[in-house]
Amino acid sequence: MASDRESGPGLESVRRHHLAQVNRVLRRPGMYGGSEIAERLLLEAMAAVDARLPQWWAACEELREREAFASTGVVGAYGGILPVGSLRDATASVYAEIAHRFGWLELDRALSEVEFHKMSTDIGGWVTQDRTMAEVIVPHRV
């Protein structure tokens, strides 16, 4: 017999719901408006469900310490650096990194060892040149 946690409106069903929402907003942030409030609210709610609010708050403080979060959020910190059209996706990427660290990000796929090695070997030279947005987001083949 299934427990109430598995079949009823218990904490586990709330967790599954929030986890799905977190992954939706991180994959398609533009569908959730022009600001990052959806990420912030959903990730904090996910932290509350998982009893990890102190870790969430610490992750937010780490963003502030590395100047990746301003009074206007990640968008505000990146606004003077990145083109306006890329801010929403870049912001979601910052929050996706936190979600990944907390075990909340459902990956489509992970890089193979060969792909990771090639990327980490090539990145030093690649980032020394100015790049267009198209160059940054076009998938590169190994």
Side-chain angles (χ1 to χ4, degrees), residues 74-84 87:
V74 174
V75 168
Y78 284 14
I81 302 168
L82 297 173
V84 173
L87 283 175

Side-chain angles (χ1 to χ4, degrees), residues 26 36 39-40 43 69 74 91-99:
L26 294 175
E36 67 200 72
E39 287 96 327
R40 290 169 62 184
L43 287 168
F69 190 96
V74 174
T91 299
S93 178
V94 170
Y95 288 112
E97 188 274 328
I98 295 170

Side-chain angles (χ1 to χ4, degrees), residues 109-120 142:
R109 76 174 190 91
L111 295 177
S112 69
E113 286 187 40
V114 170
E115 290 169 319
F116 180 79
H117 178 73
K118 178 157 179 48
M119 181 190 70
S120 60
V142 176

Side-chain angles (χ1 to χ4, degrees), residues 121-132 135-136:
T121 301
D122 295 348
I123 196 75
W126 198 83
V127 299
T128 60
Q129 300 174 24
D130 285 341
R131 302 289 178 171
T132 66
E135 288 176 299
V136 173

Side-chain angles (χ1 to χ4, degrees), residues 18 55 106 113 115:
H18 278 76
Q55 292 94 334
E106 297 170 354
E113 286 187 40
E115 290 169 319

